[in-house]
Amino acid sequence: MKNSKLLLFIIILIAAFLRFYNLGTVPAGIHPDEESHGYNAFSLFETGKDRYGESFPILFRSFGSYQPPLYTYLAVLPVKLMGNTIFSIRSVSAVAGLGLVLITYLVALKIFDPKYRYQLALISALVIAISPWSIYFNRLTAEGSLGVTVFALSVLLFILSLKKIVYFPIACLVLGLSTHAYYSERVISILFLPIFIFVFRSHFSKARRSWILAGLSIFALSMVPHLMIASSGALTRRLVQVGNPSTSSLISQFINKYIIYFSPSNLFFNTGEDLGRISPQMGVYYSLFIIPFFVGIRFAKKYILPEYLKLLIVLIILTPVSAAMTGDSYYPLRALDLIWLLSLFISLGIFNILNILPRKIGWAILGIAVLHSLFAFYISYFVLFKYERAANYGNSYIVLQEKLKDYSKYRIIIDSSREYGAGLRIAYLNKYNPLDLQKQLKSQLNSPYYSSSVALLENYEIGNIKIQPLSWSTACQKDTLIVGDMISISDVQAKEHDLIPAFTIEDKTGATVLRAYLTNNNSKSCSQ
Amino acid sequence: MKRDLLLILVITLLSSWTWVIFSINIFVYLALFLLSFLTFIFLAGHHLLLPPKILKVIFLVALIFISAYSMLVSFDRQLFSTSKLQSVQIKDRKEFYASELGSLYRNKYGIYYFDKVRPSVNKYINNIAALVDINGLFLIGFGENQLQTRFPIFFLPFMVIGLFIFLSKINKQAILIISFIFLTTGFLNTENSLGPLLIYPIVVSSIGMGFIKLFNLRL
């Protein structure tokens, strides 16, 4: 197709704009998981160890659980080049998103009818570029965002391996890598590989078996890091955290949760306000996409080459399995692989609708639909989400940092009882010396680094700032600034300890989130 | 034809939703049964004694009856009004819109669109979601006691198979009818016991088709 490369370039530019525009400020603030990746990347570059002093961890211990390693290792370069900023840590996810747009284009080129493959590939790339789920998660430091890209790359390589076996070992390597990117891919990969070999066994003649064995060996090798810590409890810690709380009727719970990921109401309509979902008033896909979705299913057999349709069906069945193992009712982040696959059907539907309608009308409708959808996303994400979810990203603590500059001569205590990420946030954004932080955090470890028991709350001391659960017996000293939320420093407590109001910090909705008080040096009730 | 009737009858009788509808209004159930049966006949490619044009008229009359009944009984009165909670939310959001959109919001039309039109449109779209909510149809309890699901979960695989057949046989008239169903449901409160009534015939007939396909039956 003429100009397909130019059109692809334009689509990637659109994708880049949607992902990088105001990346450091929307979401407003930085989530604890983000700063954890950020600080560990910073610490790794400076010392070769994470914030606990562990050399090149297999999993990164963090806030009561563990983070898969690939994102953190990839974040070392942008954090080094661009500094300890919110933008730098999110850029890995954003770049992964651009990668997914390109990979989707390449996958579509392979799986669709060769007569229409360029048009379908471009539409597929565009769907990924503008879909709410893709933009939303690419703008977060989301391991799942990286996971789906690496997994999609492995799928592309597996598709290529059906024609050229030399790709098979490479596909297995990338598949193995995906298990280090996000939790979902750990389960999906192990299920997918043997099923793929079985379903496509006719492609793998005796002459090719050595390549299959090589691929399997490479995949097995990539599992070695997991196996090294398997008995420690660290590998399954996350599943314990988020798994089904009730052990009764596990099978029926699994089936129910599995089915939920296929419900069109969750895919195309407002999924609600929980953190793992999309921005307000927005579904995983735009509501309008429900029409091409069903149209795409209708024409799947006609336009998707039979062997690849088989592959897609296998993947669609497998990819929600890991999400269905958890206790949450609908958590798109854990099913991004499925959501990505469904985009191919949506693209097919769009293509068919354009073919049915008169050319100019079809393109006009598509143009209007895309513009309307992007406008709806802009309102949902860059307006409502920015303000209404800022509290979830600790935005008030970013503002607090600026205020604290005026109190450099004071001892500062910040209550972290309900904001476990406060200390690390300050450490990351202020480039606190990793060697000092390693000493602090290592001394607080109450279990081996890899363990099933991981503490959520830790105390931090960064220069003159202590971030820890507030204790009035230790906080009440001279020349001290105490910062906390409305629960930690109530009006009654402020009066009881004769505190002097210093400042308040509002969140983006205008509600007071943090209050700061100075201890009264002249008062007997709160000075020693 | 007798066996088609029997199949649809059994499917409807095994559904808790049917009994709720039956207890509310028997004529509604009869109309839904008729719609389900006619949809099934269309999918199965079977013929009845009556000419197709008559069947289409009967279908349309039943559909209009159900739609009119739904509009009378289940019209979403919140669609064009706002609850106290929504009013608070709209009030808070005024500042966000003003800060981010500037003059795009701060004019007569902008304020009207964002404060009045958008909330209603969002509610309308959310009402439509109930039509395609697998949870609501097969997994979550409904009605007063919330114990029974609208359809038993073992019907789901049959429905999925039947839906594929439905999609493969869809024609312009079916698209018009489905569009009508979607557009009408947007005006309805689907959280009551009646639920998304207009999807009932499509679900039942799809289950029937799925059953036939899976067991390779010939009727």
Side-chain angles (χ1 to χ4, degrees), chain A residues 318-353:
Chain A
L318 285 181
T319 44
V321 166
S322 39
M325 289 164 62
T326 66
D328 295 291
S329 57
Y330 184 69
Y331 208 90
L333 180 61
R334 298 189 185 128
L336 293 187
D337 299 321
L338 170 68
I339 293 168
W340 167 66
L341 289 162
L342 296 179
S343 72
L344 297 168
F345 293 90
I346 292 170
S347 314
L348 185 54
I350 292 173
F351 171 76
N352 277 283
I353 291 170

Side-chain angles (χ1 to χ4, degrees), chain A residues 325-398:
Chain A
M325 289 164 62
T326 66
D328 295 291
S329 57
Y330 184 69
Y331 208 90
L333 180 61
R334 298 189 185 128
L336 293 187
D337 299 321
L338 170 68
I339 293 168
W340 167 66
L341 289 162
L342 296 179
S343 72
L344 297 168
F345 293 90
I346 292 170
S347 314
L348 185 54
I350 292 173
F351 171 76
N352 277 283
I353 291 170
L354 287 174
N355 273 350
I356 292 166
L357 296 171
R359 193 183 167 84
K360 283 184 182 173
I361 293 174
W363 283 105
I365 291 175
L366 179 67
I368 292 168
V370 168
L371 286 172
H372 173 266
S373 299
L374 286 175
F375 177 71
F377 183 79
Y378 176 81
I379 299 298
S380 166
Y381 186 83
F382 289 98
V383 180
L384 300 179
F385 173 76
K386 178 181 171 181
Y387 286 86
E388 293 177 353
R389 306 269 184 93
N392 298 117
Y393 293 86
N395 184 62
S396 48
Y397 290 84
I398 309 287

Side-chain angles (χ1 to χ4, degrees), chain A residues 192 195-196 199 309-319:
Chain A
F192 171 64
I195 292 175
F196 175 82
V199 168
L309 183 59
K310 215 170 29 172
L311 174 64
L312 287 182
I313 291 170
V314 165
L315 285 167
I316 284 168
I317 291 170
L318 285 181
T319 44

Side-chain angles (χ1 to χ4, degrees), chain A residues 33 41 84 235 278 281 301 307 365 372 432 471 481:
Chain A
D33 288 344
N84 289 25
L235 193 67
I278 315 295
Q281 299 173 353
K301 251 182 153 176
E307 57 188 353
I365 291 175
H372 173 266
Y432 185 62
S471 163
L481 179 77

Side-chain angles (χ1 to χ4, degrees), chain A residues 62-106:
Chain A
S62 179
F63 299 130
S65 185
Y66 292 88
Q67 290 178 314
L70 189 61
Y71 195 106
T72 308
Y73 286 115
L74 289 175
V76 170
L77 189 62
V79 168
K80 177 60 194 167
L81 291 175
M82 295 188 274
N84 289 25
T85 62
I86 299 171
F87 183 96
S88 64
I89 193 59
R90 287 178 183 161
S91 62
V92 175
S93 203
V95 169
L98 296 185
L100 186 63
V101 172
L102 180 60
I103 291 166
T104 307
Y105 174 84
L106 294 170

Side-chain angles (χ1 to χ4, degrees), chain B:
Chain B
M1 182 178 135
K2 278 184 190 172
R3 276 179 268 192
D4 293 346
L5 258 173
L6 189 63
L7 179 62
I8 296 300
L9 185 65
V10 166
I11 292 169
T12 60
L13 292 179
L14 286 175
S15 149
S16 304
W17 197 7
T18 302
W19 295 102
V20 170
I21 296 166
F22 193 88
S23 67
I24 292 172
N25 190 314
I26 187 173
F27 296 107
V28 170
Y29 166 68
L30 289 172
L32 286 171
F33 180 84
L34 190 60
L35 285 172
S36 306
F37 178 64
L38 290 173
T39 309
F40 177 79
I41 294 298
F42 158 72
L43 286 175
H46 291 168
H47 298 288
L48 293 179
L49 293 173
L50 293 171
K53 275 189 182 171
I54 304 286
L55 291 173
K56 281 177 189 174
V57 169
I58 295 172
F59 185 94
L60 281 172
V61 167
L63 182 63
I64 290 167
F65 168 67
I66 297 293
S67 306
Y69 178 83
S70 300
M71 284 289 229
L72 273 170
V73 169
S74 301
F75 183 79
D76 186 356
R77 287 177 175 76
Q78 298 288 324
L79 193 59
F80 301 111
S81 64
T82 48
S83 62
K84 279 186 184 170
L85 191 62
Q86 285 164 339
S87 299
V88 169
Q89 193 181 57
I90 289 170
K91 191 179 160 203
D92 288 340
R93 287 179 173 179
K94 280 179 194 290
E95 287 185 42
F96 312 153
Y97 292 138
S99 298
E100 296 298 322
L101 301 175
S103 55
L104 190 65
Y105 173 73
R106 282 193 294 255
N107 62 78
K108 190 169 72 173
Y109 303 105
I111 290 171
Y112 181 73
Y113 172 73
F114 282 99
D115 292 357
K116 301 278 182 207
V117 175
R118 265 184 76 87
S120 294
V121 169
N122 286 333
K123 278 186 234 175
Y124 180 84
I125 292 171
N126 285 338
N127 287 342
I128 291 174
L131 284 173
V132 291
D133 183 8
I134 294 180
N135 304 13
L137 292 172
F138 293 93
L139 301 176
I140 298 174
F142 78 108
E144 283 177 13
N145 57 25
Q146 301 273 311
L147 289 173
Q148 304 272 15
T149 55
R150 294 194 193 274
F151 291 97
I153 193 168
F154 60 80
F155 275 167
L156 182 56
F158 298 110
M159 192 203 78
V160 171
I161 295 166
L163 213 54
F164 278 111
I165 299 169
F166 188 92
L167 286 171
S168 67
K169 295 195 174 193
I170 208 165
N171 57 18
K172 283 182 188 170
Q173 289 164 342
I175 291 171
L176 278 171
I177 289 167
I178 290 168
S179 305
F180 173 79
I181 288 172
F182 270 71
L183 291 170
T184 308
T185 304
F187 292 102
L188 304 176
N189 173 11
T190 53
E191 288 176 15
N192 59 18
S193 295
L194 280 175
L197 209 54
L198 294 172
I199 202 71
Y200 182 100
I202 294 176
V203 175
V204 168
S205 55
S206 296
I207 292 168
M209 268 320 297
F211 185 84
I212 287 178
K213 185 77 179 173
L214 200 63
F215 293 108
N216 213 19
L217 294 179
R218 286 181 188 178
L219 290 182

